[in-house]
Amino acid sequence: MKRKIVRAVAGVRRVCRGDTGMVTSEYAMGIIAAVGFALLLYEVVTSGQVRAELQSIVKKALSARM
């Protein structure tokens, strides 16, 4: 029984080793995509119309009675 487990673990290790280096490039692509999305979101939020709407919401929230 132990030998079967050892062989199975060795087989999994062999399969996993073939993917070395892929994780770094995937992280890099994810970071690039996240930065691109953040820039797009920043441009939308800082546009005039959206900024005015956000300021209006904040003013209403701050002037609300409790």
Side-chain angles (χ1 to χ4, degrees), residues 7-60:
R7 286 181 187 164
V9 170
V12 170
R13 285 183 183 165
R14 262 186 258 117
V15 170
C16 291
R17 286 183 188 160
D19 201 21
T20 304
M22 290 300 293
V23 174
T24 303
S25 63
E26 289 169 357
Y27 281 128
M29 293 304 294
I31 290 171
I32 291 169
V35 168
F37 182 71
L39 287 173
L40 178 67
L41 186 61
Y42 177 77
E43 289 295 321
V44 169
V45 170
T46 56
S47 68
Q49 187 176 6
V50 174
R51 180 181 280 174
E53 288 295 326
L54 289 174
Q55 286 176 349
S56 168
I57 291 170
V58 170
K59 284 180 184 178
K60 287 178 185 177

